[in-house]
Amino acid sequence: MTAISSGQSREQSTPAAPTRTRFGVMLPLCVIVALAIVCIVIAALTSAQRANDVAVEHEKDMFKNAIAYRGEWSLRKLKTVIAPEEGEDQAAPADLERLIKRVRSAYKTLFDHDFVLIADNAGNLVHSLVNVDAPKPELLPAAFAEIAPVLAYLRGRDGPAPERIVWLTARQQSADGAIPGEAAFLQTLDSGMSVIVSIAIESGNGSKLGVGDSPAVLALQFLDDALFVEIGYRLQLANLRAVSDEPVTSGDYVLDLRGAHGQTVARFSWTPQRPAAAVLQSVIPFLAIAIVGFALLAAYLLRYMRHTAAAIAAGEDRLRHLALHDPLSGLPNRVYFGEALESTIARVRQGGPPTAVFYLDLDHFKDVNDTLGHSIGDELIRSVTQRLSNTLRGDDLVARLGGDEFAIITTASADHTLLQSIARRIISTLCAPYMVGGNTIVIGASIGIVVIDQHSDARGADLMRYADMALYRAKNEGRNRACIYDNVMDADLTRRKQLEKDLREAIDNDRLDVAYQPIVNASGEKIVGVEALARWVHPERGFISPVEFIPLAEHSGLIIELGECVLRRACRDGKAWPGLSVAVNVSPVQFRQADFVEAVERILVETAFDPSRLELEVTESTLIGNVEIAEAAMLRLKALGVRFALDDFGTGYSSLHYLRRFPFDKLKIDRSFVLSIEKTADAAAIVHAIVSLGRGLGMKVTAEGVENAEQHLFLRAAGVHFMQGFRFGKPCSAADISAYLKTPGAFRGLERDAVAAMAS
Ligand code: C2E
Ligand code: MG
Ligand code: MG
């Protein structure tokens, strides 16, 4: 698994979240849709049931009305028959004989009752008529016997309210004792269920004969099947019938007519119309359409949500990827690396495989970016990424922490020898030339390594600090190498911090010193100038080389004050040496300061030093990435008369472009070439080339680090204008320089023999 794929696998491990979200939304939606469908169905069924109930209620009312109407109708008929005929004295007392006669004569035409009964005032049956169609004429006496108690009750005689009857029109005896003159009721006789009407005959004196003991006429009609058929037909009640206690056909409705005591007097049954079925039948298609519509809507919503969720998940994945990866290389970034490191530490502590962290820094990458442009720099980073991924094992993690910083977590080994060999392999792979945009680029790499120990309690940040220390050491030891962190480095860091503190104090208390090294003409006979070199004698550690404290000052920013200190001192001291140029080293950090020119001007004014005797030495790194600003600053200072020397030429990026563009007055060949002149033919050739290059561009050439006569002779022959080195004088105090200038022979660095030899 490469670093890139490890990043992907990390993202792939989280798709459960969108799925969960999807289900989290889908489930309630499904429940809501299901509930809605269930509610609709229940509403339809409830409405249908309600329609059935309402219909049955209605049928019940209609049936009760029909029975009641039958009673009223019978009563009206009977009243018509017994009413006094035309011409008869309305006020004359009724005569039983005449009543019987009238009933008999009307019977054939007006009555369709089964029995007509006339009772005298004593309640005895005095006359009866039987319809020819009456079902059981022989039961008449028995029927009368059953009706008699009701008649007695109607007449107000003592006794219980009759059972097995349902009043249809007349009320029972009221509370004040008033006896109704007429009544219609339904009575279940042994011979059958019947509607009975009774009318009391009026007496002649205005009172009713029926009150107390007047005669009464009763008409009885059995409720037979024909009648039920007729009522059923009229009321649209199918299967209308009287029933007893036997079970009825399932689905049929049973109506109990109850008497005064709540007891069932008559039972009827019919098949209710049940409009629910019809309602449902008409509603079901729409219901089905609504349900299908709901289902489709739900499906559409689900699909839409799934798409949206997928789009959101993809967006989240992309954002997560962007948040955790470097867009240029596609490698995990610092955040991702930090998290991975913490989990690696936890894994190692739990007994996981031995693990090491490589902190890798590219050398000269910034130069490439600044000189060849950012697009080439970006391409180079991609190539570096590619090479790193190919060099490492699949389960190693490679991350890009910043511009030219990479980090690797590898479980390959914790063994130092093996780690060093892995680091060497990485460095040699990265140091091989790159072809980018038609340019051949060579860069270097330094690596700091820290091993993650099962017993260490260091956190991720601590480990990275250790790796950084190791990297610092690797760079300090000459770059293109790897260093493994050990405890000594921690002490180094502490020491460095202490030194930094001491340096600050030394600068603040003006305890830094400046030494001057003579620069002589080609023959070495005459001092033409001096180079000011910072010196620091530590109260406890003694002499500390600028090679150690200058980078420290640059790193901490102290170089600004230090540089101004040296420049001020050099200008002051230099005033004592008329005709000599005074060279002062300028750090890239100083040169990048916005007010650098003003600072130099200020010091020149302050010390009243002749600017044309001041020579500022800068290295190529001062110019890289700073072209416009550096050029402007140089031009402003040159306008004052200040001269510029390109120091340590040949060790940096050595671009001809810089030499042509910047107005240098002098080239200083680095000491390393002078040292190698006698050893390698290359170095001699390079020195020749630099000299002719400088001369070609109209610059003076100085050779640094000239230590012996051979080097002097060679350089002089090569055409070098000025020499600097121990052969002509080590850095010394200002007083020493003044002494020599007063007595030239006293200068201890000069070797007369060599000078004589050179002169010859
Ligand atoms: P540099 O500017 O190239 O200075 C020349 C260095 O070469 C000096 O080292 C000098 O002592 C040494 N040198 C001269 N002739 C010989 C020789 O014949 N043989 C050998 N072996 N060495 C010789 P030094 O003083 O240790 O300074 C080292 C570097 O520190 C300087 O290199 C310069 O880059 C930096 N430096 C010194 N003083 C300052 C300063 O005030 N400001 C800044 N920015 N850098 C400074
Ligand atoms: Mg120098
Ligand atoms: Mg130098």
Side-chain angles (χ1 to χ4, degrees), residues 530-532 563 566-567 570-571 582-586 614-618:
V530 290
E531 178 175 1
V566 173
L567 179 63
C571 289
V582 177
V584 178
N585 293 287
V586 175
L614 179 64
E615 193 172 275
L616 297 181
E617 292 191 6
V618 295

Side-chain angles (χ1 to χ4, degrees), residues 517 531 533-535 546 585 647-648 671 704-705 707 725-726 731:
Q517 185 173 28
E531 178 175 1
L533 295 161
R535 289 291 177 263
N585 293 287
D647 203 358
D648 304 339
R671 192 155 58 86
E704 295 185 278
E707 291 186 350
F726 293 170

